[in-house]
Amino acid sequence: MADGVHKSTIKNQDTIIPNPSKFICYLISGSFLIPKNADTQVNKLLKLGFTKAYKYNFPNTEFYAVVVDTFTNQERIEKTILELSSNKLEFFTKCL
């Protein structure tokens, strides 16, 4: 397997991890130009039980990401991805 690529146990999912020994991944459920729209998505996630959801403006972008949670452990990411999928919520990961 190529350095920095982790093959997920979830079918057809690869997560790119820059440094497998030290990384942080953001699990994101939407990116919005209008802050109010991001707030609406955060509230939706909170009502569904994703208690760590928050709005975040990454540096050098004008968009507001709705972060479901942050992770340093691949197994926790996959568990939350399954929960999002069961609620039919779209998502993507951003790993640094």
Side-chain angles (χ1 to χ4, degrees):
M1 187 155 308
D3 185 35
V5 177
H6 172 81
K7 187 68 174 175
S8 172
T9 57
I10 299 173
K11 187 177 181 179
N12 298 324
Q13 294 278 334
D14 284 341
T15 300
I16 306 301
I17 301 171
N19 180 349
S21 64
K22 191 174 191 179
F23 73 98
I24 184 166
C25 282
Y26 296 86
L27 188 55
I28 300 171
S29 182
S31 183
F32 302 88
L33 188 57
I34 300 170
K36 184 179 178 181
N37 293 344
D39 292 335
T40 299
Q41 181 69 359
V42 168
N43 289 332
K44 179 179 179 179
L45 289 165
L46 291 172
K47 286 178 184 175
L48 288 171
F50 297 96
T51 60
K52 295 182 180 180
Y54 63 96
K55 175 177 68 179
Y56 183 66
N57 180 239
F58 283 97
N60 302 318
T61 181
E62 57 188 291
F63 289 89
Y64 292 87
V66 175
V67 178
V68 179
D69 203 348
T70 58
F71 302 92
T72 57
N73 178 297
Q74 186 66 30
E75 290 175 14
R76 283 193 55 231
I77 292 171
E78 292 179 1
K79 179 180 182 287
T80 305
I81 285 173
L82 289 172
E83 291 171 12
L84 287 169
S85 295
S86 71
N87 282 292
K88 300 190 182 337
L89 294 169
E90 295 184 12
F91 59 87
F92 63 95
T93 57
K94 179 177 181 131
C95 298
L96 308 173

